[in-house]
Amino acid sequence: MPDSFVLRHPQDVASLVNSGRIRGGNAKFVVVIALAGIFMDAYDFTSIAFGLSYVQEAFNLSPLMLGITSGAILVGALIGSLLGGTLMDRIGREKVFTADLAVLIIATLLCAIAPNAWFFLAARFLMGISVGIDYPVAFSFIAEYSSHRNKGRALNLYAPVWYVAVGSTFVLLLIGYYVFQALSWDIKELWRVVVAFGVVPTAAVLYLRRKYLTESPTWVAMNGDLHEAAAVLRKAYGVDVTVADDAVLRVPKRTRTEPVLRSFGRLWNRTYRPRTLLALVVNFCQGAEYYAVGFSIGVVTQQVLGETVLTGIVGPLAFNLLFGVGGGLLSTWLAPRVRISRLALWGFCGTTASLLLVNLFGKEPFDGAIWVAALFLGVFIFSHAAGPGTQGAVIATLSYPTSIRGVGVGFAQLGNRIGGTIGLVAWPALTAAYGLDALLWLALMPFAGLLCLLVIRWDPTDEDVDAEDYDTAPSVGPAAVPTTPQIPASPGGTL
């Protein structure tokens, strides 16, 4: 006989989901759809990386203008993260989650057909807004449809999904390379085809979202009616959930009615200030290191294997699939076993050391040293994927309760986008000025992130942050509702 549950308070919804006693139905599919959105974000971020030199040639861009054009997507994502986080806390995760993909399809097509630099820059900026909106929504869905025990593991799936998406971009480039060669087409136009192809899986994900996605039950409990939340639980998990006759149906203060500035102000109160600072710094440092080095892998592999179009494709493909996916899978396995902040700390140690060693061996102090440098570049990607590249998003997502998770994750992405923009825009100029020694300057970024983790000792691994939305029990009628409802120990119990 299936379990049945009786809801008496909005907090019961979060307690039930976090307990892990309900599973199955469409809930896991919702997480898959959220991860599919991250896949598309990664694809759109990296699909242009191969074609940057051709974009520069076609649009006659200076190195600085190339960096600005490349960084336009991150500036758009910065705005989109703040906008998406604010909207999702007010109108719901589902509506925002669906709308941003429609915008992404339009932006992708505009980017692929761009006739000049300014059109291309505007399209990339619009694409960034869509990607930025998607991030806080996707991470919130994953967290709010996972049990407390599995939140870390589920959120860490972000890394292997990201690097599989990046790898798949280069697989398409590899296929396109041979097709273009066989048909004697201009290889300089290959990037447009790969970018445009992103519309196909994006449209598929949009269809799945509209067909199967359900609203976050914890958000409905906070902002709607307890009967609505029960209906979401029944639809998403296929469980028997009813509402008690004497239940508290609504929380007295809803997220959707809170002024925007007050929501952002809550990120800086005594409770959340250390978490917000940590999330900002970790995301800033990991964004700067990744977008500087990650978009230069093709150049490095061409130095090792020869400057050909084919090596510019095969090298990044191997790096991302071997080291990126490998590091992401390791973090997914370690997440339930090792504290989140420790994974970030270890990762920053690895990326700092790797950058210094790439600089050392990249100067070729002996024959074949460039191969050693390439190996440590792989260690950099591995350490980033297993460490701060993933844990920055996990820390932000698990540091805030449902009521401010959207603005919290969106605000933390501010650090990632600013750091990434600086990395993309400044890196070409930095390498032009200092050559390989630019890596020494870049190593300051992960080192700063490492120091921040040592100073701010917040870790969300064992924290039930959703309970923070209900610290004060509302008083309804003659009695006060308990603030910490208990999950029943046996089927048929009440919450």
Side-chain angles (χ1 to χ4, degrees), residues 131-149:
V131 170
I133 290 174
D134 205 55
Y135 259 78
V137 191
F139 283 118
S140 294
F141 259 123
I142 294 170
E144 290 163 16
Y145 268 95
S146 302
S147 67
H148 180 75
R149 179 180 179 183

Side-chain angles (χ1 to χ4, degrees), residues 192-211:
R192 293 184 185 271
V193 176
V194 174
V195 170
F197 185 81
V199 170
V200 177
T202 305
V205 174
L206 178 59
Y207 170 78
L208 293 174
R209 285 186 181 182
R210 291 183 61 84
K211 187 173 179 65

